[in-house]
Amino acid sequence: MAKKKSAVDFEKSLQTLEQLVEKMESGELTLEKSLEAFEQGIRLTKECQQALQEAEQKVQILMSRNGSDELQTFSESDDDQ
């Protein structure tokens, strides 16, 4: 269950981050509100980066368990086979 919560949190954090960027780009926020939004954006960015790092580690662990330590480039033609 924790895995699904992490994915939901990532998606929600990313969506919130996108909304913050839109508000800041609109130019309608006061300086104080812009700084608050920026701080929140930095925090959300760190949370998203952490979630992506954890996902990458899981992929690497799964690949090493299958005897394939090296990541291979994805090719659309490989997917058709």
Side-chain angles (χ1 to χ4, degrees):
M1 198 74 163
K3 292 177 185 176
K4 187 170 186 173
K5 184 177 186 265
S6 178
V8 171
D9 289 346
F10 175 79
E11 294 296 328
K12 184 176 179 183
S13 293
L14 191 58
Q15 183 179 22
T16 303
L17 186 57
E18 290 173 350
Q19 291 170 350
L20 283 173
V21 169
E22 288 176 12
K23 286 180 185 179
M24 291 176 70
E25 286 179 341
S26 74
E28 296 178 13
L29 297 177
T30 64
L31 178 59
E32 184 176 326
K33 292 291 183 185
S34 292
L35 288 172
E36 289 173 10
F38 183 76
E39 287 180 45
Q40 184 180 6
I42 294 295
R43 189 178 70 256
L44 289 169
T45 299
K46 288 180 181 180
E47 290 174 9
C48 289
Q49 287 174 337
Q50 180 66 32
L52 290 173
Q53 278 182 325
E54 290 173 9
E56 183 179 3
Q57 288 173 343
K58 288 178 185 178
V59 168
Q60 289 176 348
I61 289 168
L62 291 170
M63 291 189 66
S64 66
R65 286 182 184 167
N66 290 327
S68 177
D69 290 336
E70 293 185 30
L71 295 176
Q72 298 178 4
T73 304
F74 175 78
S75 171
E76 293 272 343
S77 60
D78 291 344
D79 193 35
D80 293 337
Q81 295 176 354

